[in-house]
Amino acid sequence: MQQDNCSNTSQFSEALPIYKASSAVLSLCFVLGVPGNVSVMVMLVRRLKEKNFTLRLMLSLAMSDLLTLLPLPMWIWTLLHDWIFGFVACKIISYVEYWCLYSSMLCVTLLSLQRYMQVLHPQKWAKLGDKGQKGLLGGIWILSGVLASYAPVQRQSGCDQYGFKYCYQRFSSDAEQVATSLYEVLLFSMCFTLLVYFYYRLHRGVNESPFFSSNRMTKLVTRIVVTYFVFGVPVTIANAIIAVAVLLKNDQLSVTADLVGKISTALIFLNSAVNPFLYTFALRRIHRRGTVTDFAQTVQNSM
């Protein structure tokens, strides 16, 4: 158990600008993202009667984003002051955050798979049926919960290296820290590889079709995917640097990687705040032009 008195004036002064920058980004994410995701969820719930799997998947993504953003006031307070919410809250909130972040990652990956199957293999996709689609959505939440199961085990409330009392990852050894960083890099890389593969196959299969280039739903999905991975890459780079720093036992590089990791984590939250605006602009345009029809059926009718 670490002591409550964590003050370290020298290191505190060095880290404070980074913490203030992170808290400013998180505040912006909360103010924009929470009402944005709530409004998008209301919009999507009203349209679920269309039985469009893309809309259901977007609803799941919006739920993940909202749950990711709701605890932000606690993290903002901690960055500016200290962690005062206790040991149990540290573990529970950390687990929910990781759970929802992994759920978002799996959702955008499944979006690319769904676009590919529904456009190029509509008969196979149709065999999945309503129950199969609901099973996929449920499977995303279950799998992401399993993938995030390490988060509460490693989380501890105590003093970090900058003099803050914080809810942070505590590793029992250097090997565990390296393994965790590489695990997170691997998950991101696998999802990114699958996403690129399915979108490449999709564009290759329909690159001469004017319908694909004009389909607003597909454009929306593409924007969500690109935005997510643009904001996700810095965290992956930070994890890779952390693994290298630990292996090389380079303390200065470890400190730098840790600070970069805190900023890049704030960018992940920014992605959860940006997504609602992507939904809103595209869905309103679609709504003005009428009800969204089933994508695969439209493709079949256009051929």
Side-chain angles (χ1 to χ4, degrees):
M1 213 42 202
Q2 300 197 19
Q3 61 183 3
D4 291 336
N5 186 5
C6 299
S7 60
N8 186 321
T9 304
S10 176
Q11 290 184 332
F12 178 89
S13 299
E14 292 178 4
L16 190 58
I18 300 296
Y19 279 65
K20 284 187 174 181
S22 297
S23 63
V25 175
L26 295 183
S27 299
L28 179 64
C29 294
F30 183 81
V31 171
L32 296 179
V34 170
N37 276 294
V38 170
S39 62
V40 167
M41 287 175 64
V42 171
M43 183 188 306
L44 291 171
V45 167
R46 291 176 179 174
R47 307 187 65 176
L48 286 182
K49 61 183 179 180
E50 298 171 19
K51 293 186 177 181
N52 186 296
F53 183 69
T54 301
L55 297 181
R56 292 179 180 178
L57 202 51
M58 288 180 184
L59 178 61
S60 181
L61 183 56
M63 290 175 60
S64 299
D65 288 338
L66 179 62
L67 291 174
T68 300
L69 295 171
L70 285 177
L72 284 187
M74 300 174 69
W75 296 118
I76 294 169
W77 173 270
T78 302
L79 287 170
L80 297 177
H81 302 282
D82 273 319
W83 180 263
I84 61 173
F85 307 103
F87 173 80
V88 176
C90 173
K91 289 185 174 292
I92 293 176
I93 293 174
S94 297
Y95 179 64
V96 172
E97 294 278 10
Y98 275 81
W99 186 3
C100 293
L101 288 173
Y102 284 139
S103 176
S104 296
M105 185 166 63
L106 293 176
C107 278
V108 295
T109 304
L110 184 56
L111 278 169
S112 65
L113 170 61
Q114 183 244 351
R115 291 290 88 190
Y116 168 74
M117 292 296 297
Q118 207 171 18
V119 174
L120 299 183
H121 304 283
Q123 292 83 7
K124 293 181 180 179
W125 180 260
K127 291 180 180 180
L128 189 62
D130 189 61
K131 290 184 178 180
Q133 293 176 2
K134 290 180 179 178
L136 282 177
L137 291 175
I140 283 178
W141 285 93
I142 294 173
L143 179 57
S144 58
V146 173
L147 293 175
S149 59
Y150 69 97
V153 177
Q154 294 178 341
R155 284 287 165 163
Q156 179 70 270
S157 59
C159 307
D160 68 5
Q161 66 267 45
Y162 306 113
F164 279 92
K165 186 178 181 184
Y166 200 67
C167 174
Y168 68 103
Q169 280 182 299
R170 183 180 184 181
F171 305 101
S172 59
S173 65
D174 288 346
E176 181 184 352
Q177 185 174 8
V178 171
T180 300
S181 296
L182 294 180
Y183 170 77
E184 294 177 358
V185 170
L186 179 62
L187 286 178
F188 180 90
S189 300
M190 289 177 61
C191 289
F192 180 76
T193 300
L194 289 173
L195 179 141
V196 170
Y197 171 78
F198 287 121
Y199 266 96
Y200 170 75
R201 293 293 300 274
L202 176 62
H203 281 275
R204 184 178 180 181
V206 295
N207 60 358
E208 295 181 356
S209 170
F211 174 80
F212 178 77
S213 61
S214 64
N215 183 265
R216 290 173 178 80
M217 188 61 69
T218 301
K219 285 183 177 180
L220 171 60
V221 171
T222 304
R223 291 186 188 117
I224 293 172
V225 166
V226 171
T227 301
Y228 179 84
F229 283 101
V230 164
F231 285 116
V233 164
V235 173
T236 304
I237 294 175
N239 276 324
I241 295 174
I242 289 172
V244 172
V246 174
L247 290 173
L248 296 178
K249 299 186 182 301
N250 188 322
D251 293 337
Q252 185 59 44
L253 184 58
S254 295
V255 171
T256 302
D258 183 70
L259 293 177
V260 172
K262 284 182 171 59
I263 294 294
S264 59
T265 299
L267 294 179
I268 286 289
F269 290 111
L270 185 58
N271 173 70
S272 295
V274 168
N275 278 340
F277 296 96
L278 298 179
Y279 307 144
T280 302
F281 289 131
L283 291 177
R284 282 181 178 175
R285 289 179 64 185
I286 294 172
H287 184 70
R288 286 198 298 266
R289 294 174 179 269
T291 303
V292 178
T293 58
D294 182 81
F295 190 82
Q297 186 62 46
T298 307
V299 172
Q300 289 178 321
N301 293 339
S302 68
M303 293 182 175

